Amino acid sequence: MYDISAIRGPAKDQTGSIGYPLKEVLTRLRFRSPWSWGDSAFPTSSPYVQFEHRYNYGHFVPYGLHVDVASREASIGIPGQKNMYSAELTNFTFLPVTLDGCDYLTDAFGRGTAFPYAIQRWDNTSGVWQTIGEPPSDANFCHPVPLSMVQTDRAPKRLWPGMRVEAVEGEATGAREPFQKDDRARFVVFTKLGNELDWRYGVASHPFIIEDDVPRSDGQFRVKH
């Protein structure tokens, strides 16, 4: 049994856009305009913000909350796994947004903040996005996990206009069942949770391509959040 989310931290070097392998979309250094967040009162109308986002992620950004996916090459010992995927949530609106967050302490005494998200896989047969695993809810979010999070505390976070947070920490998405190499995947980050999952509070990322080729005969893989 393997721990898919054992490596945490932002993946800043490789980013992606719709339907393309992340490594092929951007191989240059990420660019940040010195005016990008200084004029955040105009979060999407600023040409500097649009130019920066287009340069870094390969697409322009609309008004609203926006999720961008990044990947980096890293192996955590799972056969066939070679990439870690993460995502950032940015507030491209004129108003602050309150997020459901979870401050945690790991078994290695590391601290961080987690946010609720789901992982989806594109099904070519049905033509719809299928949610992989159990979606987040009040019942399963922000609770201690053995060998992972030993202490948790529900903590709302304020995301101001122009600000971004790492909403999905680095995880080996390609090792999740039933992903296979070249599948399309996406993250859906939720700003609010309740007793039942409300997809109106979900913000979906652009699709990205799974580049890992994990043999499924090697057993189950455990994901910890």
Side-chain angles (χ1 to χ4, degrees):
M1 186 170 291
Y2 300 90
D3 178 8
I4 292 178
S5 59
I7 297 180
R8 292 189 172 90
K12 302 296 186 184
D13 52 352
Q14 296 170 3
T15 55
S17 184
I18 297 179
Y20 293 94
L22 301 181
K23 289 193 298 184
E24 296 180 6
V25 174
L26 180 68
T27 57
R28 54 187 178 268
L29 294 176
R30 294 182 64 183
F31 169 83
R32 174 159 295 184
S33 162
W35 303 278
S36 294
W37 304 122
D39 56 358
S40 60
F42 306 95
T44 56
S45 60
S46 167
Y48 302 110
V49 172
Q50 290 288 354
F51 173 76
E52 176 201 354
H53 205 88
R54 178 68 174 82
Y55 184 92
N56 289 333
Y57 295 100
H59 57 263
F60 294 110
V61 61
Y63 181 87
L65 295 177
H66 187 72
V67 177
D68 288 297
V69 178
S71 75
R72 63 187 175 97
E73 291 188 358
S75 174
I76 57 175
I78 299 175
Q81 177 271 325
K82 62 179 182 179
N83 289 318
M84 303 294 290
Y85 302 88
S86 61
E88 289 183 334
L89 175 68
T90 306
N91 183 4
F92 288 109
T93 75
F94 296 106
L95 300 173
V97 176
T98 300
L99 307 176
D100 273 347
C102 176
D103 291 335
Y104 63 81
L105 175 69
T106 71
D107 55 349
F109 301 103
R111 295 186 179 273
T113 301
F115 296 94
Y117 69 94
I119 299 171
Q120 294 187 321
R121 174 182 176 270
W122 178 256
D123 186 276
N124 291 320
T125 302
S126 62
V128 298
W129 286 101
Q130 295 183 341
T131 302
I132 304 301
E134 185 179 11
S137 68
D138 277 339
N140 60 27
F141 178 67
C142 202
H143 296 292
V145 178
L147 303 178
S148 178
M149 298 189 298
V150 297
Q151 181 180 325
T152 58
D153 182 32
R154 198 78 171 258
K157 303 294 180 181
R158 186 63 62 90
L159 190 65
W160 294 94
M163 288 183 61
R164 61 167 61 113
V165 295
E166 186 183 32
V168 180
E169 298 174 331
E171 66 148 62
T173 308
R176 290 177 177 267
E177 291 274 7
F179 280 113
Q180 297 179 347
K181 183 177 172 60
D182 296 327
D183 277 352
R184 297 175 69 195
R186 72 178 183 180
F187 294 117
V188 182
V189 178
F190 291 89
T191 61
K192 183 179 180 180
L193 288 181
N195 294 329
E196 295 183 0
L197 186 63
D198 193 335
W199 290 92
R200 293 178 301 173
Y201 296 108
V203 184
S205 73
H206 285 298
F208 58 95
I209 301 297
I210 296 295
E211 299 178 69
D212 311 270
D213 191 7
V214 177
R216 296 304 173 188
S217 60
D218 285 352
Q220 298 293 318
F221 305 117
R222 181 175 66 88
V223 179
K224 68 176 182 181
H225 298 282

